[in-house]
Amino acid sequence: MRALWPKRLFIVIASVGAVLFVINTRERGNTGVTEAQRNNGDFDSEILKKLDELDASIKELNKRLHEKEEKVEEKAEEKKAEGKQEQKGLKKLFPESYLFQKWGDHLSEEEQKEAQSLYERYGYNVFLSDRLPLDRNLSDTRNPRCQKKKYPKDLPSLSVVLIYLDEALSVIKRAIRSIIDRTPAHLLKEIVLVDDNSSNEDLKGKLDDYIHLIHEKHPGLVKTVRHSEQMGLTQSRISGWKASTADVVAILDAHIEVTVEWAEPLLARIKEDRTVIVSPVFDRVNFDNLEVIPYIAAAHGFDWALWCMYESFQPNWYKLMDESLPGKSPSVMGILVVDRIFFGEIGTLDGGMKIYGGENVELGIRVWLCGGSIEIVPCSKIAHIERAHKPYLPDLSITMKRNALRVAEVWMDEYKTNINVAWNLPIKNHGIDIGDVSERKKLREKLNCKPFQWYIDNVYPKLDHWEDLVAYGAMKNTVKENVCIDQGPVPGHVPIAYGCHYYGPQRVYIRKHGEVYIGGIKSHKYNNNRCLVDPRTGSTPGLYECNVAKQKGYSIYWDFKQGKALANKETHRCLEVEKGALVIQNCTGQGWEIQHIITDL
């Protein structure tokens, strides 16, 4: 029906135009009829007759058009029904794949195979990306106050660094295109591409061809840095920084699209204070359908294992009642914008980090301790693909653990043992090579940096200090062979006895006053741990958030010595194993051994 409307409109307009022409010529006395006709009134009857004929013609045309529209609509409905029937007949080849949970019902079997293969290789929907326009439209998801802000013209110049390893070509091209289209030309000095030794042939010849096309209109805008061996994210970011020449460097992932006016608020903030490192707000691009999900501004935090997370800003930011203002952040999640010279002065990134993880937390801690600050700028938005998996490193924990220990050794002073606890490693002799940290310690001394306690008190007071932790790790029964305490199904309130595997569900933490947490310990004060409880009645032990257990009147404090009984301080009953189950009963002499002791129990 939509295709016929323009034709109908044209006919009606033409018809009305004819009538108006006749009327207009009559008024001007230029009708083309004889004076005799005009004098005896034949002209008026002739006009009326013409109008009647014209009206009949329009009605007939309208009728035919209506009939034709109905036929077109019928055919469209038939086609739609046929399509649905065909779609119903399509077999889902990968029903368990995350890629096809919400997308891909329309694909043939061959297309499904191609899409799944690309998904496994990249961790996001490259099949779809290859079919989207490079300059696709992105909605403006900024706060309305941001959209009204004006920025000075004389902002610092900008180098944009894109880091990648075996990224999809269409994703890189879209990132480049978005940067060129949405960054003022007088501010964008260069785009630096850093390839960490990709194996994809697409990222050589075809990418170079695309760069040549760009240079026809923007000579020399894009630089390439290619590593001859894989050096990891940290070294790649350092390579990009070294190759850049602008006043400010934006170090980004390559699987992004910048949005409208993304650069100006970041550059304006750095112009005000060259010692602040800023980050945009990341809107999430779904890995499956590549739709953009808006995110609100939030601080970048971390736990004691140094895994990153979003969390709220400090209360004073919310009191200002203006969501367009930058907010202080304990850390930065890897995408960062910084004064190029200041970045060198502060020590760039720790080149001793391996492959992935921890380098962003290290930077955040160092900047805060050594004279700078970190801020999130809500008026800058970047759309960032959230991978379903990282193909280049299936087990992120391997390097993450090692890098976290390195950060702790250089910066965390008396709190460094919290990293060991978080990763369930012994306090001494953990056996992991963290590399030479002597140069980083010299840098800390040279920059006259504050102690980590200052960071805890002034920047990240939300962290739980864990200063009263006395033991941690899996807890094994001394009588029943290879039986450990386990949190059981979650959510649930009954811990269980289970074969020892020493992973997360069996992690036990004992605090100085006798609280026993099972299944993990929270890194932040605003979270609640789950306490082992004696409910005082019955023989079934409980596992409740500690504050809830107190409200219910359960007993949450226990006595324990290595190899001895785990006895409740109030009820004097013990946690033991009977017939393969955890029970609370009168003590029979069963004991427990926990993996790691911090202080004598």
Side-chain angles (χ1 to χ4, degrees), residues 191-477:
I191 299 172
V192 181
L193 303 181
V194 182
D195 184 342
D196 194 24
N197 195 35
S198 296
S199 58
N200 290 7
E201 288 300 318
D202 280 359
L203 301 183
K204 296 167 186 174
K206 289 183 179 179
L207 180 56
D208 288 340
D209 291 343
Y210 183 64
I211 293 170
H212 284 309
L213 285 175
I214 293 170
H215 285 170
E216 288 178 7
K217 188 174 181 181
H218 308 283
L221 181 64
V222 181
K223 294 180 179 179
T224 55
V225 176
R226 288 188 167 110
H227 291 169
S228 58
E229 60 179 318
Q230 187 178 340
M231 301 176 72
L233 283 175
T234 302
Q235 289 289 354
S236 297
R237 287 167 177 153
I238 293 172
S239 294
W241 168 74
K242 286 180 177 177
S244 64
T245 60
D247 300 322
V248 170
V249 182
I251 301 177
L252 314 178
D253 294 333
H255 43 276
I256 57 94
E257 294 162 77
V258 300
T259 64
V260 60
E261 212 169 45
W262 75 282
E264 291 91 318
L266 301 171
L267 296 173
R269 185 68 190 99
I270 290 173
K271 183 181 180 181
E272 291 173 348
D273 181 357
R274 67 183 292 270
T275 70
V276 64
I277 293 181
V278 293
S279 175
V281 173
F282 316 136
D283 285 344
R284 188 187 80 220
V285 179
N286 292 337
F287 70 87
D288 51 0
N289 58 18
L290 301 186
E291 291 180 0
V292 179
I293 308 300
Y295 273 18
I296 62 171
H300 299 174
F302 56 88
D303 62 16
W304 282 117
L306 301 199
W307 292 113
C308 293
M309 63 187 66
Y310 290 116
E311 60 184 22
S312 60
F313 292 116
Q314 292 295 334
N316 57 358
W317 184 82
Y318 297 96
K319 289 177 183 176
L320 297 173
M321 304 292 287
D322 185 351
E323 294 179 9
S324 71
L325 296 176
K328 301 293 184 184
S329 179
S331 187
V332 61
M333 283 195 181
I335 289 180
L336 57 104
V337 184
V338 59
D339 179 282
R340 181 175 60 86
I341 295 175
F342 173 72
F343 197 47
E345 293 170 353
I346 205 74
T348 65
L349 292 166
D350 180 358
M353 295 288 191
K354 297 288 187 183
I355 307 298
Y356 176 91
E359 76 286 341
N360 48 329
V361 175
E362 189 272 347
L363 175 64
I365 293 170
R366 172 162 41 92
V367 168
W368 275 109
L369 291 180
C370 307
S373 61
I374 306 287
E375 290 182 1
I376 309 304
V377 179
C379 289
S380 175
K381 283 289 196 94
I382 287 181
H384 177 269
I385 296 177
E386 189 171 297
R387 293 182 193 265
H389 57 270
K390 287 184 166 58
Y392 54 83
L393 190 64
D395 187 358
L396 298 177
S397 68
I398 297 171
T399 57
M400 185 69 200
K401 184 190 305 180
R402 180 257 183 203
N403 290 346
L405 290 167
R406 182 179 173 90
V407 175
E409 183 62 33
V410 177
W411 298 103
M412 291 188 173
D413 304 331
E414 68 270 26
Y415 290 92
K416 67 181 180 181
T417 56
N418 286 357
I419 307 300
N420 300 62
V421 173
W423 285 100
N424 198 40
L425 298 168
I427 297 297
K428 296 179 180 178
N429 303 320
H430 52 65
I432 296 174
D433 181 10
I434 65 172
D436 183 5
V437 295
S438 58
E439 290 301 316
R440 301 310 285 181
K441 288 186 175 182
K442 286 178 184 176
L443 175 68
R444 179 175 180 177
E445 187 177 345
K446 174 188 171 185
L447 296 174
N448 195 27
C449 303
K450 299 179 180 72
F452 190 71
Q453 184 66 55
W454 180 91
Y455 179 84
I456 292 284
D457 293 340
N458 295 278
V459 179
Y460 211 0
K462 295 178 182 180
L463 281 176
D464 186 342
H465 299 182
W466 290 359
E467 75 278 358
D468 61 349
L469 205 61
V470 294
Y472 61 98
M475 208 161 183
K476 185 176 179 181
N477 192 275

Side-chain angles (χ1 to χ4, degrees), residues 50 86 179 283 324 340 355 361 397 497 551 574 588 590:
K50 296 268 185 196
E86 288 176 12
I179 292 163
D283 285 344
S324 71
R340 181 175 60 86
I355 307 298
V361 175
S397 68
Q551 291 169 6
C574 288
T588 66
Q590 287 187 23

